[in-house]
Amino acid sequence: MNPHTADIIDDCLQASLSGARHFGQIVAELAAAGVESYFADYRARRTTYYAGPAQRTLALPAPAVDIPPRFDAGALVDAIRGAQRGEVLYPEFMARSMAAGCVGYMVWIGGRHVVYMGRDGQTHIERFPS
């Protein structure tokens, strides 16, 4: 991966963790840098970004939340809507989505959607807001 793209990825993760930028801004910056998708893995505590054949994996300091076996799509959607309204910043979003039984999610930038996953393979697909 070229150093410029790697720097943008690093900056975007830090901005997310600090709450300095919201999801829409992060996705726009990553797309402009050539990132096609990324996977946030709560259990492994890492996020992997994909730009063509290149990838970059960074530590994800997710909160210490036990992820329950039951996937609560309603609670997950509540966390998503709060984030979309700017009321829930990323650290709180991670805690709330984990408490809802989410083990991670895949962001498909070009496809404009996110797939959230539960422990038993349950999924919730969230389209990017228009």
Side-chain angles (χ1 to χ4, degrees):
M1 179 170 291
N2 75 57
H4 178 70
T5 301
D7 288 345
I8 289 171
I9 289 169
D10 294 355
D11 178 66
C12 284
L13 180 58
Q14 291 310 311
S16 291
L17 292 170
S18 71
R21 292 194 291 277
H22 61 75
F23 177 77
Q25 292 170 307
I26 296 297
V27 166
E29 290 177 44
L30 292 172
V35 175
E36 299 168 349
S37 61
Y38 64 94
F39 177 57
D41 186 338
Y42 290 155
R43 293 181 293 184
R45 305 249 190 266
R46 65 178 173 236
T47 303
T48 303
Y49 299 82
Y50 302 92
Q55 59 184 311
R56 181 166 182 78
T57 300
L58 298 173
L60 178 63
V65 173
D66 288 331
I67 300 171
R70 183 176 165 281
F71 186 71
D72 185 343
L76 175 62
V77 169
D78 286 345
I80 293 167
R81 296 294 176 264
Q84 289 171 341
R85 290 189 303 268
E87 300 166 1
V88 176
L89 298 177
Y90 191 52
E92 180 183 353
F93 176 80
M94 283 192 290
R96 289 178 60 179
S97 60
M98 291 169 76
C102 182
V103 297
Y105 58 90
M106 185 79 183
V107 177
W108 298 99
I109 295 173
R112 299 189 46 77
H113 70 279
V114 182
V115 179
Y116 296 90
M117 295 156 281
R119 286 176 51 178
D120 289 331
Q122 311 93 321
T123 59
H124 169 76
I125 298 173
E126 185 70 26
R127 303 278 171 202
F128 290 5
S130 298

